[in-house]
Amino acid sequence: MLSHVSRNRISKKKKYNPRDSTLVLVGRRDDLDPFSSEDGDLRAVMSCGHAVSPETLTQCCRSQLDQGNYKFRCPAVGEGTKRCNKRWSYKEVRRLAILSVSEMRHFEETMARLAAADFWDMQPCPQCNTYVERKDLSNLCVQCTICTADQRTKYQFCWQCRRKWKGWCSRWSDRCNNDGCANKDLQLLQICRTISLPDVEGVTSCPSVRACPTCGMKVEHNQQNCKNIDCPRCQVPFCFLCLKLKRECCQTSSPYGICLGGVAPRQTSIPVWHRR
């Protein structure tokens, strides 16, 4: 959904052609914009049944990409507080968002990068910018085959700080010897602010950022509704408080009550995603 700030940034430049018979156009409010009204503008009905404008659809899907999710889903709230969550194909998004050439390029390049990250652990080499796959997830020292071949000498870089590897290359090192080399994600988990979950009874202090217990992606809670969230990358639902999978946590506590074991402490390690 769009915040008031996001909505103010949107300049209404895109409009649907009222003569386009291939679209289902309606005059009702925009389901992605809580501040929308029936102002006479035409909205298109998505495959899930919710009405959107091209600008809010673009903003919504761009936001999902920024969160690391290339499989677009409808965030509109349906009955009660339940989100629609129906999948939108990129073909549908591209057409109904009326994406420009530059927007399509950004969307497609980002989607390709995120899709690749779903199946391979990849990063660009800091020297040649060629994407390199890290096959050993426990080793921060990675060799670029392109640079090694070009320079006729082994070129290794640090997966963590993305600089030329410095120091002894050990499989179990948690950093190289470059100044400032550290796991920024892990540091964030340690120093992030605390939040409350007003809709969950008994929860007044919880870290605002968690690493998904399945894939390790950093996620935040919007402080609305229940304690469970769906990871935008692996789509596995888990409890933001105790960090157990949703199905396990719900066996001993309500989605709107504090967990049996309370709030899990700040995480000191980030799970590695073992993709099937």
Side-chain angles (χ1 to χ4, degrees):
M1 301 292 284
L2 296 176
S3 66
H4 183 60
V5 174
S6 299
R7 182 174 180 267
N8 286 340
R9 291 177 182 165
I10 293 174
S11 57
K12 293 186 177 180
K13 296 179 181 178
K14 303 176 181 179
K15 288 185 179 293
Y16 296 118
N17 182 353
R19 297 181 180 179
D20 189 343
S21 60
T22 64
L23 299 178
V24 179
L25 300 176
V26 294
R28 69 176 194 251
R29 62 180 296 276
D30 189 331
D31 289 319
L32 300 185
D33 186 350
F35 301 97
S36 173
S37 61
E38 295 183 8
D39 51 12
D41 286 348
L42 289 176
R43 274 97 188 188
V45 178
M46 300 292 287
S47 56
C48 62
H50 287 106
V52 302
S53 71
E55 294 288 355
T56 56
L57 181 59
T58 302
Q59 183 79 9
C60 170
C61 293
R62 186 185 292 273
S63 175
Q64 292 187 32
L65 282 178
D66 290 344
Q67 295 171 25
N69 190 1
Y70 64 94
K71 297 177 181 177
F72 302 116
R73 292 183 179 274
C74 177
V77 176
E79 296 182 5
T81 58
K82 188 175 181 180
R83 289 194 173 191
C84 171
N85 211 36
K86 293 283 181 64
R87 279 280 303 275
W88 293 329
S89 70
Y90 172 61
K91 182 178 180 181
E92 178 182 23
V93 168
R94 182 181 61 195
R95 183 162 182 256
L96 297 190
I98 316 180
L99 295 181
S100 66
V101 173
S102 61
E103 286 172 334
M104 282 191 285
R105 183 183 304 114
H106 169 72
F107 270 57
E108 290 166 14
E109 288 177 355
T110 306
M111 289 168 64
R113 176 173 53 79
L114 292 173
D118 262 3
F119 297 96
W120 301 282
D121 199 19
M122 302 182 74
Q123 280 205 87
C125 166
Q127 182 157 286
C128 70
N129 284 322
T130 301
Y131 271 86
V132 178
E133 179 184 0
R134 181 172 67 149
K135 295 182 179 180
D136 184 353
L137 301 184
S138 62
N139 194 348
L140 292 176
C141 183
V142 180
Q143 180 172 318
C144 175
T145 56
I146 302 296
C147 291
T148 296
D150 286 347
Q151 300 172 14
R152 298 184 180 180
T153 184
K154 186 181 292 184
Y155 180 82
Q156 297 171 320
F157 68 94
C158 176
W159 198 257
Q160 189 158 265
C161 68
R162 290 196 59 242
R163 287 178 284 177
K164 184 176 180 179
W165 184 269
K166 188 176 181 180
W168 178 254
C169 185
S170 170
R171 181 181 180 186
W172 305 110
S173 296
D174 61 358
R175 53 161 295 169
C176 70
N177 287 345
N178 281 307
D179 292 339
C181 180
N183 190 323
K184 306 298 185 189
D185 290 343
L186 193 56
Q187 287 182 336
L188 177 62
L189 296 176
Q190 294 293 306
I191 66 174
C192 67
R193 67 188 179 94
T194 59
I195 59 172
S196 64
L197 299 186
D199 296 329
V200 182
E201 186 178 357
V203 179
T204 57
S205 181
C206 174
S208 60
V209 182
R210 296 292 209 180
C212 169
T214 297
C215 72
M217 183 179 185
K218 302 190 305 296
V219 292
E220 297 183 58
H221 199 290
N222 63 9
Q223 296 182 264
Q224 298 176 4
N225 304 320
C226 78
K227 61 190 180 183
N228 298 308
I229 63 173
D230 292 345
C231 174
R233 179 163 70 174
C234 66
Q235 300 296 316
V236 176
F238 70 95
C239 173
F240 198 79
L241 302 181
C242 70
L243 298 176
K244 294 179 181 178
L245 297 185
K246 177 182 176 181
R247 63 175 180 269
E248 183 180 351
C249 178
C250 286
Q251 291 178 0
T252 56
S253 63
S254 161
Y256 290 91
I258 195 165
C259 313
L260 183 62
V263 177
R266 292 178 181 271
Q267 292 159 287
T268 57
S269 63
I270 297 178
V272 174
W273 191 9
H274 298 288
R275 305 173 182 87
R276 295 181 179 179

